[in-house]
Each structure stands twice: as structure tokens, then as C-alpha cells.
Amino acid sequence: MAAGAGGLVATAALLLALAGPRPVPAELTDGNSEHLKREHSLMKPYQGAGSAAMPLWDFQDSTIVTSQYVRLTPDEHSRRGSIWNRVPCFLKDWELHVHFKIHGAGKKNLHGDGLALWYTQERLTSGPVFGSKDNFHGLAIFLDTYPNDEATERVFPYISAMVNNGSLTYDHSKDGRWTELAGCSAELRNQNHDTFLAVRYSRGRLTVMTDVEDKNEWKNCIDIAGVQLPTGYFFGASAGTGDLSDNHDIISMKLFQLMVEHPVEDESVDWTKIEPSVSLLKSPKDNVDDPTGNFRSGPLTGWKVFLLLLCALLGIIVCAVVGAVVFQKRQERNKRFY
């Protein structure tokens, strides 16, 4: 029995070594201006502040531009607003840093609804999804501040990601749970310090990180492999309020080009014709038993493989020990009859 247990331990050690360490989140840029793309960036001083004369950006509905921020919605009921870049982005690898502020008079759950960041084919189309249209084509990052689903186990505010080819509808009653790829909770509302969010897309990998704790460091939120996004889409931000409200402000949106090498075969691909998609283990719509959405974060690699192997090994060890005890008791019982 001791020899068998030793063998199991050795096997466990070998499998854990093969699984490797938990992957380290992708490092984001330091925010320098070396690869800053000004045609896709919104920064102070805003040109044409307070008017519709901004050369690279359009805004609509309740949005107002001041010298200090772009207010997508005021802290008032039933408002929506958005701001959109006029220039389509043809970068295959990019990183977006967003300086934002969500604040208002509402306390506890008496505020809403939230803010969304977009990289989509459509622009300047008002709608019910945080101020913009449903059934969009592209990527959306939602900063949801109000739980519409009373049975949810999530802690709000909640950040989530969604990729759509126009066929999916965002379900507000379930806070987008059926179409969410991954997400995390973040205390980003009514903070007295600056709050930031970074979205990185490179070689099919989508990474979202936050800096909302006044620590001047990025915290991992979402990391998804197998994401396919075309070039030629537009960046934008929108927000919406309903019976509850908040001020939703954008202070800056800075886009950086990532200098990344691609395989030779990528040179023949027409990146403008790629359909937005994600290679998942299963469709987000099938994930009806997962109230948190944290499982939908990509293929079984890294730490997920580690956890699965560890659980399997523990199960094998428990079964081996139980089997040995049962076998020993049977042997003792048989000896009584001799």
C-alpha cells in the first residue's frame, strides 16, 4: 500500500509539472506616446469643446463636452448618450486606455445603468444597450452598475465582455449573462480618485484590466483566447440611465498600436472581411447554469488544466485509499474462516 501511494504521489508530481505554472496576465503598455494613435484618441483639451466641431469624434443624444470631461449622461432619469470616433481603425493589434468616472447621488443599489466601450461596425446608432444599438457587430465591454437579475450571485458593479456578429441580443433582464464571455466585479463607482480601464487585443487574445483602487497598477479582469475581430471598425463609448441614474463621464480614450509579429500566412488574410467570433468550449447561450460567467474565459489551458488534473489526482488517491482499506478488511474477514 505504501509503495502504491508513493507511485501515485510521483505521478501527481509529474502531471503537475507538465501542467506548468498559472499563466501571467499580459503586460499592458506603460502609456507612453511612442505608439499613440492620435486619430483614434480622445484627450484634453477637447477641440471644439461644447460644440459639434470636434474633427475626429461625433457625439449624440444627452452627451455634452466640457473642458474637463465628456459627459455621456447626466444624473437624470431615462437618458442615453454616446461618443464615436469618425476614423475606422485598421490596426490588427491595439490597446485602449480609458480614463472614466461614474458617479451620482444614488447610494447602495439606487443608481444605474452603466457605461459601455465599443469596437463595432456600427456607430452613432442610439439604442437600448447602455445607450447604443443591440445586435451589433464587434466587441463590447460593459461596465454594469445595476443588477437587474434579482437572483444573481454577482457583485456589482460588474465588468463583462461580449463579441457579436449581429445575431445575439443583449438580455438586460439577466444582465447579459447568456452572451457574456467573461467578467469580474470592480468597485469603480463614486471613487474620489481616478479610475481606468484597459482593453488589449493582440493575436486573437482579448485582455481587460482595471486600475480603480488608486494603486497605480493594473489588475487582471478578463483574459480570453480565440477572439477574432476584423479591422475597419470604430471605437466609441456610450451610457444609459433608466428609472435610476448616474453621471457617466469619459475623461480620455487613448489608443496604442502594438508592434506584434504575425505568422507569414496572416499576410494573405483580408482582415476587413473577418466575422467577429470567439472559439469557446461551448456557446455562451448554453451556459445557463453559470450565474457568474467566470468559466467562459477560453480554452482549457494553464491554470484550468492544473485544477482539473489536481482534482482528478485527488479523486484517484481517495479511491485508491478507500479500495485498499476495503481490500484489507476483506482479507481479515477471510482469515477468520481458516
Side-chain angles (χ1 to χ4, degrees), residues 19-40:
R22 179 173 178 171
V24 179
E27 293 184 1
L28 300 187
T29 66
D30 58 8
N32 59 48
S33 60
E34 181 180 0
H35 301 297
L36 177 68
K37 309 303 290 184
R38 295 188 178 276
E39 65 271 28
H40 302 300

Side-chain angles (χ1 to χ4, degrees), residues 225-242:
V227 178
Q228 293 296 317
L229 296 175
T231 59
Y233 280 13
F234 297 90
F235 288 102
S238 69
T241 66

Side-chain angles (χ1 to χ4, degrees), residues 22-254:
R22 179 173 178 171
V24 179
E27 293 184 1
L28 300 187
T29 66
D30 58 8
N32 59 48
S33 60
E34 181 180 0
H35 301 297
L36 177 68
K37 309 303 290 184
R38 295 188 178 276
E39 65 271 28
H40 302 300
S41 298
L42 177 69
M43 299 176 293
K44 294 186 290 187
Y46 313 116
Q47 296 185 22
S51 71
M54 300 176 68
L56 298 175
W57 296 82
D58 292 317
F59 56 95
Q60 65 176 358
D61 297 328
S62 298
T63 303
I64 60 171
V65 181
T66 74
S67 60
Q68 297 301 313
Y69 53 79
V70 175
R71 176 152 294 171
L72 301 174
T73 71
D75 190 359
E76 299 175 1
H77 303 308
S78 302
R79 296 297 187 95
R80 60 177 58 164
S82 65
I83 186 165
W84 289 89
N85 192 208
R86 291 182 180 178
V87 184
C89 178
F90 291 97
L91 301 177
K92 293 191 291 290
D93 304 271
W94 49 262
E95 186 172 294
L96 180 68
H97 291 192
V98 182
H99 183 188
F100 67 95
K101 187 173 182 65
I102 300 176
H103 58 107
K107 297 181 179 180
K108 294 185 177 180
N109 286 336
L110 301 178
H111 53 265
D113 286 324
L115 183 151
L117 303 172
W118 305 91
Y119 175 68
T120 57
Q121 185 181 55
E122 306 85 358
R123 61 184 296 274
L124 279 178
T125 307
S126 184
V129 184
F130 299 94
S132 194
K133 78 180 298 290
D134 207 346
N135 300 102
F136 59 91
H137 294 76
L139 168 70
I141 307 295
F142 301 123
L143 284 66
D144 193 348
T145 58
Y146 182 76
N148 292 288
D149 185 2
E150 296 180 356
T152 185
E153 297 180 10
R154 297 173 178 172
V155 177
F156 281 72
Y158 189 82
I159 301 172
S160 64
M162 176 180 175
V163 171
N164 199 351
N165 63 0
S167 65
L168 301 178
T169 298
Y170 182 87
D171 186 356
H172 270 288
S173 65
K174 295 296 182 181
D175 300 310
R177 183 167 60 195
W178 308 147
T179 51
E180 174 200 329
L181 299 175
C184 72
S185 300
E187 291 295 334
L188 50 80
R189 182 181 175 273
N190 270 356
Q191 297 288 5
N192 294 323
H193 52 262
D194 291 333
T195 49
F196 301 88
L197 184 138
V199 183
R200 178 189 180 106
Y201 177 68
S202 180
R203 297 188 66 174
R205 183 180 178 186
L206 177 68
T207 307
V208 178
M209 303 189 79
T210 61
D211 179 5
V212 298
E213 300 176 352
D214 201 23
K215 294 182 179 180
N216 195 31
E217 61 183 27
W218 293 111
K219 183 178 180 180
N220 194 35
C221 175
I222 296 171
D223 197 354
I224 310 170
V227 178
Q228 293 296 317
L229 296 175
T231 59
Y233 280 13
F234 297 90
F235 288 102
S238 69
T241 66
D243 294 334
L244 302 174
S245 61
D246 254 339
N247 297 301
H248 296 93
D249 300 340
I250 297 291
I251 292 91
S252 69
M253 297 174 67
K254 298 180 180 179

